[in-house]
């Protein structure tokens, strides 16, 4: 029983800590220029990024550089790459009012509540005070904004999500890259008939399938649909909602995803695509080193290409508008914000973009140019160039938008819908009820 | 009857573990009970809601009931595999003269492997793309029609996530039951044999009644362990697809740490505590009634 009780104990401990701390920091979150002496100490960053990834490596290096001039300073990186575990840690620490100086979060309803309680520094003011605000891509900042337009997280990445495909496999099945989202079910049927798995997907992590639910409404009704849906002002039974429900059901009927996808992970899906077993794979530019360099399996290397999110007939958003996230953002704890944190951020944020671009990644700022790695295929540059031609709107991933309970239910029901275990009508009814029950608590 | 000084020593030595038990077990239960009357997301003010969480849980939460019945199914499969398997293997071991230690070690081995490793191992065993061991075996023996994605099929997933837990602890219970079987007086068995008792009669009339106290203990252990089952199902399927392998424990965890609904999660925790107490009570009641009959 201990494990069960541990959960309750953590919640209780958090309750007591909250009661003891009486509601949090007293610092004004809009005061981004604290006065006083810079006193070196260790500061911590609670983060959910790959442990050996570029962001962490660069920030470690910058922290070491900063420490040379500020003896006693160090940056303690508390890494939990697994997102569900990270969210649990973040929420528990937030409940106990023990968040460190810096912490990662998406622009979720939970993060918005933290911001409303004055626990996060106003990032827009902060970036402006550091004179770097104008360097950022507007869409990188927009991705981090809450519904009210306020900005409390700083982006460290900029990514574009494409549908990668294997030209040879499509040719074998006698199909070409889809012109419309509505072409995809028929494409899947043709690929299946040719003995090819149409789409490789990481079903275990749930967010990859949730991307698909966002596509049709984004084309049919634009980015506002999810903003309204999450608050219960729009429904799955509305035309845009029904478009996606029926489309997802048709993807399932056409057996678009690999058999048993719901229990397969990230590397399983990637292996299926890069080994030439699956024809398509929906993933972002963070996978460029695996998909567009000489690391890619030579047997498929020349056959790989990508297309951006197809439009539909009567689409209200354009072909150059799709999912372009700037990754999980970094929030600055208002309670612990002091001259040292401010000074370090100024040092790090001004040096970060050039270091990051040198790794071959897209910087969230426009003041540096990405250096294409020497082992890249021509596809690498082609993918990066899409960043120069982006439209004004971007499709937001729904997992950062919905309240957590509705989001969890959606992820569960989506699998059932796509596997054909429930009907579109059952899905619609369940999800509309879930939104109606849970949204008011988060968006009142 | 212990002399006064000895009784005092016993009390003094019992007090620290009792205090530890109070702090580690009883206090969190009381706190969960307290929290279950509140609505609280961890960062806002706690709001007293009375019995609303209990009413919601019992009357308006389809996932709760689905999880409850899944947990009963999970428990049934675990008990059959753990206790049934353990009794069978332990009985067979008593009639073996060679290789007994090797068999015992092999059966006990899964109990010492980490849960995470077991979960990943079974995900691979059940896999359909690439073909896992189970589907490969079915193909080899000509039962290819039964091949399926065991963890994605809503009809097979609950059994699929229960089996590793059952497999894991069969060896542990086997050891306990085996030790109990060794304590059955040989003279009694010998006398029964001389009276013409069959092997089955020997087992049902002599051996099993003799190990009854140990059997009750192992049943209680396996039941409470089964009801708290969490890690393997959570790691293998995260309760999915849909809610097909959702257990009360995984649902409680998600409610607390994903939905940040700590009050409602505490309500589910209280239910699990009550459920465990009821289960143990029922086992004792049924076994006592059987013994009295």
């Amino acid at each position: 029983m201990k494990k069960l009780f541990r959960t309750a104990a953590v919640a209780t401990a958090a309750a007591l800590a909250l009661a003891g701390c009486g509601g949090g920091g007293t610092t004004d979150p809009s005061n981004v220029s604290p006065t006083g002496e810079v006193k070196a100490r260790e500061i911590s960053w609670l983060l959910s990024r790959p442990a050996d990834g570029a962001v962490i490596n660069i920030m470690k290096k910058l922290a070491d550089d900063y420490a040379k001039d500020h003896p006693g300073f160090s940056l303690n990186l508390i890494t939990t790459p697994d997102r569900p575990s990270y969210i649990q840690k973040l929420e528990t620490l937030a409940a106990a009012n023990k968040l460190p100086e810096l912490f990662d979060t998406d622009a979720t309803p939970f993060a918005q509540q933290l911001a409303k309680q004055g626990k996060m520094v106003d990032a827009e003011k902060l970036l402006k005070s550091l004179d770097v605000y104008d360097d950022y891509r507007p869409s990188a900042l927009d991705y981090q904004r809450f519904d009210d337009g306020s900005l409390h997280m700083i982006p460290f990445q900029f990514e574009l999500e494409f549908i990668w495909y294997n030209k040879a496999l499509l040719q074998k099945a006698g199909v070409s890259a889809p012109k419309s989202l509505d072409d995809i079910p028929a494409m899947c049927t043709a690929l299946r008939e040719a003995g090819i798995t149409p789409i490789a997907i990481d079903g275990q992590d749930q967010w990859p399938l949730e991307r698909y639910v966002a596509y049709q409404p984004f084309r049919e009704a634009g980015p506002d649909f999810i903003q309204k849906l999450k608050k219960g002002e729009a429904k799955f039974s509305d035309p845009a909602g029904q478009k996606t429900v029926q489309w997802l059901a048709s993807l399932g009927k056409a057996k678009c995803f690999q058999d048993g996808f719901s229990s397969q992970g990230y590397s399983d899906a990637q292996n299926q695509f890069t080994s030439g077993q699956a024809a398509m794979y929906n993933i972002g530019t963070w996978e460029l080193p695996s998909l567009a360099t000489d690391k890619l399996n030579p047997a498929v290397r020349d056959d790989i290409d990508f297309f951006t999110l197809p439009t539909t007939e009567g689409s209200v958003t354009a072909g150059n508008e799709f999912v372009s996230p700037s990754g999980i953002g970094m929030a600055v704890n208002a309670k612990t914000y002091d001259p040292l944190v401010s000074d370090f951020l100024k040092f790090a944020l001004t040096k970060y973009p050039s270091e990051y671009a040198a790794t071959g990644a897209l910087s969230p700022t426009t003041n540096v140019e990405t250096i294409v790695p020497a082992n890249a295929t021509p596809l690498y540059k082609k993918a990066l160039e899409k960043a120069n031609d982006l439209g004004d709107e971007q499709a937001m991933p729904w997992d950062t938008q919905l309240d957590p309970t509705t989001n969890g239910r959606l992820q569960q029901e989506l699998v059932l819908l796509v596997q054909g275990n429930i009907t579109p009508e059952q899905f619609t009814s369940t999800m509309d009820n879930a939104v109606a029950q849970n949204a008011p608590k988060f968006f009142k | 009857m212990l002399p006064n000084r000895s009784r005092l020593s016993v009390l003094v030595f019992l007090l620290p573990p009792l205090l530890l038990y109070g702090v580690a077990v009883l206090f969190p239960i009381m706190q969960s009970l307290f929290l279950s009357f509140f609505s609280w997301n961890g960062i806002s003010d706690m709001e007293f809601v009375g019995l609303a969480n209990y009413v919601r849980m019992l009357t308006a939460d389809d996932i709760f009931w689905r999880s409850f019945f899944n947990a009963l199914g999970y428990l049934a499969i675990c008990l059959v595999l753990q206790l049934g398997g353990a009794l069978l293997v332990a009985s067979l071991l008593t009639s073996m003269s060679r290789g007994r230690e090797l068999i015992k070690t092999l059966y006990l081995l899964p109990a010492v492997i980490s849960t995470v490793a077991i979960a990943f191992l079974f995900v691979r065993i059940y896999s359909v793309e690439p073909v896992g061991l189970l589907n490969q075996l079915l193909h080899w023996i000509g039962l290819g029609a039964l091949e399926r994605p065991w963890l994605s099929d809503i009809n097979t997933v609950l059994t699929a996530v229960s089996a590793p837990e059952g497999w894991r602890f069969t060896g542990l219970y086997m050891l306990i039951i085996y030790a109990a079987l060794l304590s059955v007086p040989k003279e009694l068995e010998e006398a029964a044999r001389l009276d013409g008792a069959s092997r089955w009669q020997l087992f049902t009339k002599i051996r099993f009644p003799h190990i009854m106290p140990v059997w009750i203990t192992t049943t209680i252990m396996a039941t409470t362990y089964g009801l708290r089952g969490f890690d393997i199902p959570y790691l293998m399927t995260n309760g999915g697809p849909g809610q097909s392998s959702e257990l009360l424990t995984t649902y409680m965890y998600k409610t607390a740490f994903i939905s940040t609904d700590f009050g409602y999660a505490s309500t589910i925790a209280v239910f699990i505590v009550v459920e465990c107490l009821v289960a143990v009570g029922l086992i004792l009641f049924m076994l006592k009634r059987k013994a009295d009959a």
Side-chain angles (χ1 to χ4, degrees), chain A residues 7 10 69 74 89 119 125-126 214 233 235 249 360 400 405 422:
Chain A
T7 304
V10 169
D69 294 331
S74 66
K89 190 181 273 187
K119 290 182 176 171
K125 283 189 177 168
L126 174 66
E233 293 163 8
K235 289 181 169 182
T400 64
T405 310
I422 55 172

Side-chain angles (χ1 to χ4, degrees), chain B:
Chain B
M1 191 72 180
L2 288 167
N4 272 345
R5 235 174 70 184
S6 300
R7 268 170 46 197
L8 186 69
S9 319
V10 169
L11 282 177
V12 166
F13 282 105
L14 273 181
L15 201 60
L18 201 63
L19 281 176
L20 192 67
Y21 178 79
V23 170
V25 179
L26 297 179
F27 181 67
I29 291 176
M30 288 303 129
Q31 289 295 323
S32 287
L33 189 64
F34 173 75
L35 266 181
S36 70
F37 299 117
F38 288 85
S39 171
W40 184 48
N41 69 0
I43 53 171
S44 60
D45 292 336
M46 290 167 76
E47 182 193 347
F48 182 74
V49 293
L51 292 172
N53 283 334
Y54 288 92
V55 173
R56 173 184 161 196
M57 181 176 77
L58 298 171
T59 63
D61 187 349
D62 57 328
I63 301 183
F64 168 77
W65 286 111
R66 182 77 195 269
S67 308
F68 174 67
F69 289 115
N70 282 346
L72 293 185
Y74 177 86
L75 176 66
I77 296 166
C78 287
L79 287 184
V80 168
L81 289 173
Q82 289 172 356
L83 298 181
L87 188 62
L88 182 73
V89 176
S91 301
L92 292 174
L93 272 182
T94 54
S95 50
M96 272 181 76
S97 53
R98 291 170 62 185
R100 202 182 287 166
E101 294 309 311
L102 179 70
I103 302 282
K104 274 197 294 188
T105 311
L106 286 176
Y107 267 96
L108 191 62
L109 202 60
V112 297
I113 302 176
S114 101
T115 312
V116 179
I118 287 175
F120 285 132
L121 175 74
F122 272 83
V123 166
R124 291 291 159 209
I125 287 173
Y126 291 132
S127 172
V128 69
E129 269 188 39
V131 184
L133 182 66
L134 182 57
N135 286 319
Q136 192 74 64
L137 276 175
L138 288 169
H139 182 72
W140 282 337
I141 60 173
L143 293 173
L146 294 178
E147 284 179 55
R148 65 190 63 241
W150 299 90
L151 294 175
S152 297
D153 188 328
I154 57 168
N155 300 310
T156 58
V157 65
L158 187 62
T159 311
V161 298
S162 311
E165 183 83 1
W167 168 78
R168 187 182 181 206
F169 287 116
T170 298
L172 187 68
Y173 296 119
M174 177 269 291
L175 268 193
I176 298 171
I177 293 168
Y178 175 68
L181 285 174
L182 286 184
S183 72
V184 179
K186 293 282 170 260
E187 315 82 64
L188 214 59
E189 290 188 15
E190 206 56 47
R193 268 199 206 98
L194 287 173
D195 287 343
S198 66
R199 285 174 76 94
W200 176 246
Q201 283 172 323
L202 202 68
F203 178 77
T204 53
K205 307 284 183 199
I206 308 278
R207 286 185 169 186
F208 195 69
H210 190 85
I211 65 164
M212 187 54 91
V214 175
W215 180 255
I216 294 172
T217 310
T218 47
T219 307
I220 290 173
M221 278 171 72
T223 305
T224 48
Y225 277 39
L227 286 173
R228 69 161 208 189
F230 170 80
D231 35 15
I232 290 180
Y234 188 77
L235 288 166
M236 287 176 77
T237 61
N238 195 15
Q243 299 88 33
S244 308
S245 59
E246 195 82 88
L247 305 180
L248 280 179
T249 47
T250 56
Y251 183 46
M252 180 195 72
Y253 177 85
K254 287 178 185 175
T255 305
F257 294 111
I258 295 174
S259 299
T260 60
D261 196 344
F262 291 107
Y264 190 52
S266 297
T267 313
I268 303 171
V270 170
F271 181 88
I272 294 171
V273 173
V274 173
E275 179 194 49
C276 287
L277 294 175
V278 168
V280 172
L282 272 177
I283 293 167
L284 292 174
F285 174 73
M286 285 193 299
L287 292 172
K288 189 171 180 298
R289 214 171 61 162
K290 203 177 167 189
D292 292 345

Side-chain angles (χ1 to χ4, degrees), chain A residues 298-354:
Chain A
V300 299
R301 199 179 295 162
D302 295 334
D303 293 326
I304 301 294
D305 203 348
F306 67 84
F307 55 85
T308 56
L309 184 71
T311 51
T312 53
E313 203 183 323
S315 172
V316 299
T317 50
N320 62 352
E321 294 169 331
F322 43 89
V323 186
S324 51
S326 53
I328 195 166
M330 184 196 77
V332 181
N333 187 347
K335 187 182 160 195
T336 54
Y337 187 65
D338 64 6
L340 172 74
V341 178
S342 172
D343 194 51
F344 170 66
L345 285 177
K346 181 169 190 170
F347 175 86
L349 292 178
T350 47
K351 294 187 183 308
Y352 176 85
S354 58

Side-chain angles (χ1 to χ4, degrees), chain A residues 412-434:
Chain A
Q412 291 178 326
E413 299 300 317
L414 270 179
V415 176
L416 295 179
L417 177 67
V418 172
Q419 287 192 166
N421 300 125
I422 55 172
T423 63
E425 292 72 32
Q426 287 171 315
F427 176 89
T428 304
S429 152
T430 304
M431 286 318 304
D432 281 344
N433 282 339

